[in-house]
Amino acid sequence: MSDASLIDELPGELLMWVLIISELLVFGAGLIAFMGVRLTDPAGFAEAQSHLHRTGAALNTAVLVTSGYLAAQALHWRQIARRTAARLALIAAAALGVVFLIIKGMEYADKAAQGITYETHPFFLFYYLLTGFHAAHVLAGVVILLLVAWRDNPRNIEAGAQFWHMVDLVWIMLFPVIYLLG
């Protein structure tokens, strides 16, 4: 029998796990509040939701999942001494993060052109808060991935990939609740 605790068994950095769990709790609370308010006006929420770009959001889902795969591959490649491949995978993952932000920015610009703001309906207050907070995490993740590509030891890559996977996971929770739930 081993004396190792469950915490010792976690891959990556403990403090990164603390950050990830705290961020998941914040996003979870936001989604619970969104769902609670949605119950008070399902028809209004459905009408507001009809103004969203589901295709762009689905494309963004594919973009983030692909970037998460590249971040995971980067760690694998760095561990088997394929340093250049690891760095390129991290840069590609970061570039896909930028693609995500461009698509999200186009969606925001379209909402602005329609005169849709956070004051238009409670749906859009939550939409902007949750997707905007997520976009800030994507931006932070892009910076982290690029820093990790520069300082590319396996420990750094693992921590960067941990954060990036949290960004992926949050989007996978946001996408169906905000864009698809009818």
Side-chain angles (χ1 to χ4, degrees), residues 18-34 126 129-130 133-134 137 166 170 173-174:
V18 170
L19 173 67
I20 288 169
I21 290 168
S22 67
E23 293 296 323
L24 290 175
L25 289 171
V26 169
F27 278 104
L31 285 171
I32 289 168
F34 173 86
F126 284 102
L129 283 173
L130 290 168
F133 192 48
H134 178 262
H137 283 76
M166 182 269 302
V170 167
M173 292 186 314
L174 291 177

Short mmCIF file of all heavy atoms in Angstrom, two decimals, residues 18-34 126 129-130 133-134 137 166 170 173-174:
data_model
loop_
_atom_site.label_atom_id
_atom_site.label_comp_id
_atom_site.label_asym_id
_atom_site.label_seq_id
_atom_site.Cartn_x
_atom_site.Cartn_y
_atom_site.Cartn_z
N VAL A 18 -6.11 24.25 -8.06
CA VAL A 18 -6.89 25.16 -7.22
C VAL A 18 -7.50 26.25 -8.10
O VAL A 18 -8.69 26.58 -7.98
CB VAL A 18 -6.03 25.75 -6.08
CG1 VAL A 18 -6.76 26.87 -5.36
CG2 VAL A 18 -5.60 24.65 -5.12
N LEU A 19 -6.71 26.83 -8.99
CA LEU A 19 -7.20 27.85 -9.90
C LEU A 19 -8.31 27.29 -10.79
O LEU A 19 -9.38 27.91 -10.94
CB LEU A 19 -6.06 28.40 -10.76
CG LEU A 19 -6.49 29.36 -11.87
CD1 LEU A 19 -7.03 30.66 -11.28
CD2 LEU A 19 -5.35 29.61 -12.83
N ILE A 20 -8.09 26.12 -11.36
CA ILE A 20 -9.07 25.51 -12.26
C ILE A 20 -10.39 25.25 -11.53
O ILE A 20 -11.46 25.59 -12.03
CB ILE A 20 -8.50 24.21 -12.88
CG1 ILE A 20 -7.41 24.56 -13.90
CG2 ILE A 20 -9.61 23.35 -13.50
CD1 ILE A 20 -6.60 23.37 -14.38
N ILE A 21 -10.31 24.68 -10.35
CA ILE A 21 -11.54 24.39 -9.60
C ILE A 21 -12.27 25.68 -9.23
O ILE A 21 -13.49 25.76 -9.37
CB ILE A 21 -11.22 23.52 -8.36
CG1 ILE A 21 -10.83 22.12 -8.81
CG2 ILE A 21 -12.41 23.47 -7.41
CD1 ILE A 21 -10.22 21.25 -7.74
N SER A 22 -11.52 26.69 -8.83
CA SER A 22 -12.18 27.96 -8.48
C SER A 22 -12.83 28.59 -9.71
O SER A 22 -13.95 29.11 -9.63
CB SER A 22 -11.20 28.93 -7.82
OG SER A 22 -10.20 29.34 -8.73
N GLU A 23 -12.19 28.52 -10.85
CA GLU A 23 -12.77 29.06 -12.08
C GLU A 23 -14.00 28.27 -12.51
O GLU A 23 -15.01 28.84 -12.94
CB GLU A 23 -11.73 29.08 -13.21
CG GLU A 23 -10.59 30.04 -12.98
CD GLU A 23 -11.02 31.49 -12.93
OE1 GLU A 23 -11.93 31.90 -13.68
OE2 GLU A 23 -10.45 32.25 -12.12
N LEU A 24 -13.94 26.95 -12.39
CA LEU A 24 -15.10 26.12 -12.73
C LEU A 24 -16.27 26.44 -11.81
O LEU A 24 -17.44 26.45 -12.25
CB LEU A 24 -14.75 24.64 -12.68
CG LEU A 24 -13.81 24.14 -13.78
CD1 LEU A 24 -13.45 22.68 -13.55
CD2 LEU A 24 -14.41 24.35 -15.16
N LEU A 25 -15.99 26.70 -10.54
CA LEU A 25 -17.06 27.07 -9.60
C LEU A 25 -17.69 28.42 -9.99
O LEU A 25 -18.91 28.58 -9.92
CB LEU A 25 -16.54 27.11 -8.18
CG LEU A 25 -16.21 25.75 -7.55
CD1 LEU A 25 -15.50 25.93 -6.21
CD2 LEU A 25 -17.45 24.90 -7.41
N VAL A 26 -16.87 29.37 -10.41
CA VAL A 26 -17.40 30.68 -10.82
C VAL A 26 -18.29 30.52 -12.06
O VAL A 26 -19.42 31.03 -12.11
CB VAL A 26 -16.26 31.68 -11.08
CG1 VAL A 26 -16.77 32.94 -11.77
CG2 VAL A 26 -15.55 32.03 -9.78
N PHE A 27 -17.78 29.81 -13.07
CA PHE A 27 -18.58 29.60 -14.28
C PHE A 27 -19.83 28.78 -13.96
O PHE A 27 -20.91 29.05 -14.49
CB PHE A 27 -17.76 28.93 -15.38
CG PHE A 27 -16.91 29.89 -16.16
CD1 PHE A 27 -15.55 29.96 -15.95
CD2 PHE A 27 -17.47 30.72 -17.12
CE1 PHE A 27 -14.75 30.83 -16.68
CE2 PHE A 27 -16.69 31.61 -17.85
CZ PHE A 27 -15.33 31.67 -17.63
N GLY A 28 -19.69 27.78 -13.11
CA GLY A 28 -20.85 26.97 -12.72
C GLY A 28 -21.91 27.81 -12.05
O GLY A 28 -23.11 27.67 -12.34
N ALA A 29 -21.50 28.70 -11.16
CA ALA A 29 -22.46 29.58 -10.49
C ALA A 29 -23.15 30.48 -11.51
O ALA A 29 -24.37 30.71 -11.43
CB ALA A 29 -21.75 30.42 -9.42
N GLY A 30 -22.40 30.98 -12.47
CA GLY A 30 -22.99 31.81 -13.53
C GLY A 30 -24.01 31.04 -14.36
O GLY A 30 -25.09 31.57 -14.68
N LEU A 31 -23.68 29.81 -14.68
CA LEU A 31 -24.62 28.99 -15.45
C LEU A 31 -25.87 28.64 -14.64
O LEU A 31 -26.98 28.63 -15.18
CB LEU A 31 -23.93 27.72 -15.95
CG LEU A 31 -22.97 27.92 -17.12
CD1 LEU A 31 -22.16 26.66 -17.38
CD2 LEU A 31 -23.73 28.35 -18.36
N ILE A 32 -25.71 28.38 -13.36
CA ILE A 32 -26.86 28.09 -12.50
C ILE A 32 -27.76 29.33 -12.41
O ILE A 32 -28.99 29.23 -12.51
CB ILE A 32 -26.41 27.60 -11.11
CG1 ILE A 32 -25.82 26.18 -11.23
CG2 ILE A 32 -27.55 27.63 -10.11
CD1 ILE A 32 -25.08 25.71 -10.00
N ALA A 33 -27.16 30.50 -12.26
CA ALA A 33 -27.95 31.74 -12.21
C ALA A 33 -28.67 31.95 -13.54
O ALA A 33 -29.86 32.31 -13.57
CB ALA A 33 -27.04 32.93 -11.89
N PHE A 34 -27.97 31.73 -14.65
CA PHE A 34 -28.57 31.84 -15.98
C PHE A 34 -29.80 30.94 -16.09
O PHE A 34 -30.87 31.36 -16.52
CB PHE A 34 -27.53 31.47 -17.04
CG PHE A 34 -28.06 31.38 -18.45
CD1 PHE A 34 -28.14 32.51 -19.23
CD2 PHE A 34 -28.45 30.17 -18.98
CE1 PHE A 34 -28.62 32.44 -20.54
CE2 PHE A 34 -28.93 30.08 -20.28
CZ PHE A 34 -29.02 31.22 -21.06
N PHE A 126 -26.50 37.79 -19.26
CA PHE A 126 -25.76 36.55 -18.99
C PHE A 126 -24.86 36.16 -20.15
O PHE A 126 -23.73 35.72 -19.96
CB PHE A 126 -26.71 35.41 -18.64
CG PHE A 126 -27.27 35.49 -17.26
CD1 PHE A 126 -28.57 35.94 -17.05
CD2 PHE A 126 -26.51 35.13 -16.17
CE1 PHE A 126 -29.09 36.02 -15.76
CE2 PHE A 126 -27.01 35.20 -14.88
CZ PHE A 126 -28.31 35.65 -14.68
N LEU A 129 -21.81 38.44 -20.05
CA LEU A 129 -21.00 38.15 -18.87
C LEU A 129 -20.26 36.82 -19.00
O LEU A 129 -19.04 36.75 -18.79
CB LEU A 129 -21.86 38.13 -17.61
CG LEU A 129 -22.28 39.48 -17.04
CD1 LEU A 129 -23.26 39.29 -15.89
CD2 LEU A 129 -21.08 40.27 -16.59
N LEU A 130 -21.00 35.78 -19.35
CA LEU A 130 -20.39 34.44 -19.39
C LEU A 130 -19.43 34.28 -20.56
O LEU A 130 -18.31 33.80 -20.40
CB LEU A 130 -21.47 33.37 -19.43
CG LEU A 130 -22.27 33.22 -18.13
CD1 LEU A 130 -23.50 32.33 -18.36
CD2 LEU A 130 -21.40 32.66 -17.02
N PHE A 133 -16.38 36.73 -20.06
CA PHE A 133 -15.45 36.23 -19.06
C PHE A 133 -14.66 35.05 -19.63
O PHE A 133 -13.45 34.93 -19.41
CB PHE A 133 -16.22 35.83 -17.80
CG PHE A 133 -15.38 35.55 -16.59
CD1 PHE A 133 -14.38 36.42 -16.19
CD2 PHE A 133 -15.61 34.42 -15.82
CE1 PHE A 133 -13.61 36.16 -15.06
CE2 PHE A 133 -14.85 34.16 -14.69
CZ PHE A 133 -13.85 35.04 -14.31
N HIS A 134 -15.34 34.22 -20.41
CA HIS A 134 -14.65 33.10 -21.06
C HIS A 134 -13.63 33.63 -22.07
O HIS A 134 -12.49 33.13 -22.14
CB HIS A 134 -15.63 32.15 -21.74
CG HIS A 134 -14.95 31.03 -22.43
ND1 HIS A 134 -14.71 31.05 -23.80
CD2 HIS A 134 -14.43 29.86 -21.97
CE1 HIS A 134 -14.07 29.94 -24.12
NE2 HIS A 134 -13.89 29.21 -23.03
N HIS A 137 -10.53 34.54 -20.51
CA HIS A 137 -9.73 33.35 -20.20
C HIS A 137 -9.04 32.81 -21.44
O HIS A 137 -7.92 32.31 -21.37
CB HIS A 137 -10.61 32.27 -19.56
CG HIS A 137 -10.92 32.54 -18.13
ND1 HIS A 137 -11.85 33.47 -17.74
CD2 HIS A 137 -10.41 32.00 -16.99
CE1 HIS A 137 -11.90 33.50 -16.42
NE2 HIS A 137 -11.04 32.62 -15.94
N MET A 166 -9.02 23.66 -19.12
CA MET A 166 -10.09 24.29 -18.36
C MET A 166 -10.87 25.24 -19.25
O MET A 166 -12.11 25.27 -19.22
CB MET A 166 -9.52 25.02 -17.14
CG MET A 166 -10.57 25.67 -16.24
SD MET A 166 -11.00 27.39 -16.62
CE MET A 166 -9.45 28.23 -16.51
N VAL A 170 -14.86 24.78 -20.02
CA VAL A 170 -15.85 25.84 -19.76
C VAL A 170 -16.66 26.11 -21.03
O VAL A 170 -17.89 26.22 -20.97
CB VAL A 170 -15.17 27.12 -19.23
CG1 VAL A 170 -16.13 28.30 -19.27
CG2 VAL A 170 -14.65 26.88 -17.83
N MET A 173 -19.25 23.59 -21.64
CA MET A 173 -20.43 23.79 -20.78
C MET A 173 -21.26 24.98 -21.26
O MET A 173 -22.49 24.92 -21.26
CB MET A 173 -20.00 24.02 -19.32
CG MET A 173 -19.39 22.81 -18.66
SD MET A 173 -19.02 23.01 -16.89
CE MET A 173 -18.22 24.57 -16.77
N LEU A 174 -20.61 26.06 -21.68
CA LEU A 174 -21.33 27.26 -22.11
C LEU A 174 -22.08 27.04 -23.42
O LEU A 174 -23.23 27.49 -23.56
CB LEU A 174 -20.36 28.44 -22.29
CG LEU A 174 -19.74 29.04 -21.06
CD1 LEU A 174 -18.75 30.15 -21.45
CD2 LEU A 174 -20.78 29.59 -20.12
#
